[in-house]
Amino acid sequence: MGVSAGRPGPHPRLVAGAGAVAAALFIALFRFRRLGPLDFWTWIAANVVLVVVLSLVLDRGYAARLRRDVASAPLRKIGTGIASAAVLYAVFAAGRLLALRLFPFAAAGIGSVYALKSGLPLLRVVLLIALVVGPGEELFWRGFFQHNVAETAGRRRGFILTALLYAAVHLASGNIMLVLAAAVCGLFWGWLYLRFRSPLVNIVSHTLWDLAVFVAFPF
């Protein structure tokens, strides 16, 4: 279902550097949650835009790879993304019930995540998720970082390293439930990219899951 890589990718050191930049940006985000006038959602959107632009600058073949991906069986990929988002939502629904039974801190941790959108216009949160955060995180973490690490270190190592880094940046939040959620999501979306090699599948899955969890059907 995926597409070929096309021209050679960026040097591994550039990919590692991009990962370090992304880690620094997102660690600061989860540690402080606000940056001057920027609330959490505006700040995360700004971070996502920065790392996506960086990925397109470093990987000169990335834009062409994305165009090929969208042009190849788009309806099937969208359907796969929708189905995978539903599966991940079901996993989290079951996981929430289990966590509330096992961990006394689970309810507070989950509540802290939802507090990030408290007092903000719902439409702004929806637009940022749908147009920037959901698509952009997949464009960087899986479409650029995992893809290029896999090109030099192997697909399995690319999957593992990306999932670890994706979860690790959330440690700065101090919220165990958020870190666990990021670990599950990182493994799931990393496997999805490993399986289909399609940024479009991942974008649809991530964006719909975010909208379901944060807006339409919150836990």
Side-chain angles (χ1 to χ4, degrees):
M1 185 181 284
V3 294
S4 60
R7 71 173 69 182
H11 192 280
R13 290 182 180 178
L14 293 177
V15 177
V21 169
L25 290 172
F26 286 100
I27 286 171
L29 168 73
F30 289 113
R31 174 64 179 85
F32 300 108
R33 301 190 181 189
R34 293 193 67 93
L35 180 63
L38 302 182
D39 57 61
F40 176 85
W41 289 98
T42 306
W43 190 2
I44 193 174
N47 282 357
V48 166
V49 170
L50 286 173
V51 296
V52 169
V53 170
L54 179 61
S55 69
L56 291 170
V57 170
L58 294 180
D59 187 346
R60 297 302 178 90
Y62 192 14
R65 194 165 73 243
L66 290 173
R67 288 194 293 269
R68 290 195 299 271
D69 182 42
V70 172
S72 174
L75 293 180
R76 183 172 56 173
K77 290 174 179 175
I78 290 171
T80 301
I82 293 171
S84 66
V87 169
L88 186 58
Y89 185 88
V91 169
F92 268 79
R96 173 183 176 275
L97 295 176
L98 184 61
L100 290 174
R101 288 176 177 267
L102 295 178
F103 306 125
F105 54 81
I110 295 170
S112 178
V113 174
Y114 283 108
L116 294 172
K117 66 184 181 70
S118 178
L120 298 178
L122 183 60
L123 179 60
R124 180 153 68 89
V125 174
V126 170
L127 291 176
L128 288 175
I129 288 174
L131 301 179
V132 183
V133 178
E137 285 201 336
E138 289 308 310
L139 286 173
F140 178 77
W141 288 112
R142 260 62 64 172
F144 169 78
F145 191 76
Q146 181 174 331
H147 177 89
N148 282 294
V149 173
E151 289 295 297
T152 55
R155 294 181 65 184
R156 289 185 180 179
R157 287 184 180 178
F159 160 59
I160 293 170
L161 289 173
T162 304
L164 286 174
L165 184 58
Y166 185 76
V169 300
H170 292 76
L171 288 169
S173 69
N175 185 336
I176 296 177
M177 296 308 298
L178 180 59
V179 175
L180 290 174
V184 172
C185 286
L187 289 170
F188 183 86
W189 288 320
W191 170 84
L192 200 66
Y193 190 80
L194 187 67
R195 171 66 178 82
F196 296 106
R197 302 281 286 178
S198 169
L200 179 57
V201 170
N202 276 67
I203 286 170
V204 173
S205 179
H206 191 145
T207 303
L208 291 182
W209 183 84
D210 274 1
L211 289 173
V213 167
F214 286 105
V215 181
F217 309 108
F219 293 117

